Every structure is written in structure tokens, then in C-alpha cells.
Amino acid sequence: MAIGKTLTTAQNEQLLSTLKARFEQHMERHPNIDWENVQAKLEANPEKLWSLHEMERTEGEPDVVAYHYETDTYTFMDCSPESPKGRRSICYDLEALNARKKNKPEDSAMNMAASMGIEILSEVKYRSLQQLGKFDLKTSSWVLTPPEIRKLGGAIFCDRRYDTVFMYHNGADSYYSARGFRGALTI
């Protein structure tokens, strides 16, 4: 387990090995990106490695999905086939969690993402992830909800069914065993 927001040498080595293996297994997600450059960026940003460790620990299977030339940064997203198992059965945000009178879930998507140092995917980013594979065929994922919707008590989530990405709404305080959230981290 990480102490604070740093990893032990063994955790660091294991995470880099896992990320490299996943990177090499899924080259279609990041054509023209060299692992050596990604690893150098990771090693220079230990706090980001901690966040990636949290994504991995909660079964998000993070992988590189983009390189941004203008900022010389890489974006990782959760690429687990289904919504990460360690982040399911949660409501949308802390306000929704606090509003529940009975059967409160353990946490919320927005709170978990903040504590992990990652951002929850927007609908646009969720749809861009779906261009790289087929995700959430049996589960769904909360996505960043516009303030106008959230102010009225709602939140949005997405999934993929019938070879189509759908966006839906629900009360922000709802939670289901098959709904979690996907995150992104830019390094």
C-alpha cells in the first residue's frame, strides 16, 4: 500500500512493468508513441505514478490513449473492458451522497476521482475512448455532468449497447452495482 501519495520502489517497478506490458499489448490505442518517452515522463512525475497506481488498484487498467504535441503530455484513460470494479456502486458526487437518507453507498464518483488525483471522463472523452475499443458492454459509467443538469438533481452516465454509445440520465444519488466511473490522467 502506498504511504501518503508515494509508491515504494517495488510498487513503482511493478506498476511500470504492468503499464509497459499493457502498452505493448494494445498498440492500436497509441500508434506512433514510444514507451521509452512515456516511461521517462512517468519517472519524472512520481505523484502521477501514484494516481496511476490508484487507477490500477481499482481495476481501471489505465493505458496511454493520446499524446499532445503542444504541451508534450500523454493522457492515460481507464481501458478496462467494463467499468472499473473497484469504483462501482457509488453515487455521482458528495452532495448526492450526503442527501441520501437510507442505504448510502460508500462513496461518490467525483469524490473518488479527486482523492485519486484523476478527472472523471466527460461525455466527449468517453466517446473518444469508445473509438479505441468497445467498453462498458455490460456496465455503465458516470460521466462529468453539466452544472445545469446537476443543479436540478440529475447526473449523466454512458454505456455501449447495440454497437452504439448511449448517454442517459439518473438522479445523482442513485447507485447500481454495474455503474462506476472511468478516469483520465494527463502527464
Side-chain angles (χ1 to χ4, degrees):
M1 184 72 181
I3 298 170
K5 292 194 174 194
T6 59
L7 301 177
T8 65
T9 301
Q11 287 173 318
N12 189 43
E13 290 171 1
Q14 178 60 47
L15 179 61
L16 287 172
S17 174
T18 298
L19 293 173
K20 180 180 181 184
R22 185 173 297 126
F23 181 93
E24 291 172 346
Q25 185 178 2
H26 296 284
M27 293 302 293
E28 72 281 1
R29 294 178 185 157
H30 34 254
N32 306 316
I33 296 177
D34 295 320
W35 174 253
E36 293 74 25
N37 296 333
V38 174
Q39 184 167 338
K41 189 70 79 168
L42 290 170
E43 289 172 344
N45 292 280
E47 73 286 352
K48 302 286 187 169
L49 266 175
W50 181 85
S51 292
L52 283 169
H53 179 268
E54 290 299 288
M55 292 171 81
E56 187 68 30
R57 183 184 64 77
T58 56
E59 302 183 50
E61 301 180 24
D63 198 6
V64 178
V65 298
Y67 174 70
H68 312 282
Y69 292 94
E70 60 284 350
T71 57
D72 186 33
T73 56
Y74 297 92
T75 296
F76 283 78
M77 284 187 192
D78 289 308
C79 293
S80 55
E82 301 299 336
S83 195
K85 287 182 185 176
R87 294 185 237 152
R88 294 185 196 164
S89 295
I90 54 173
C91 61
Y92 179 71
D93 61 12
L94 193 57
E95 180 184 346
L97 180 64
N98 291 336
R100 285 197 69 97
K101 303 295 182 217
K102 296 182 185 178
N103 304 317
K104 286 187 176 196
E106 289 188 27
D107 209 342
S108 72
M110 295 300 286
N111 189 57
M112 285 183 79
S115 69
M116 295 169 68
I118 63 176
E119 64 181 70
I120 190 170
L121 297 186
S122 65
E123 180 189 358
V124 170
K125 287 182 180 178
Y126 185 90
R127 289 180 182 279
S128 73
L129 175 66
Q130 292 283 359
Q131 298 300 309
L132 302 175
K134 294 181 178 183
F135 304 98
D136 287 339
L137 297 176
K138 298 175 188 168
T139 59
S140 61
S141 296
W142 288 115
V143 295
L144 192 62
T145 298
E148 308 80 46
I149 295 172
R150 183 61 196 97
K151 187 190 301 185
L152 297 172
I156 59 174
F157 64 96
C158 296
D159 63 22
R160 184 182 194 118
R161 304 291 192 273
Y162 309 106
D163 207 25
T164 302
V165 176
F166 291 95
M167 189 260 306
Y168 308 91
H169 61 88
N170 217 176
D173 64 342
S174 66
Y175 66 98
Y176 300 93
S177 62
R179 183 176 307 147
F181 76 94
R182 292 177 181 275
L185 180 70
T186 298
I187 301 174

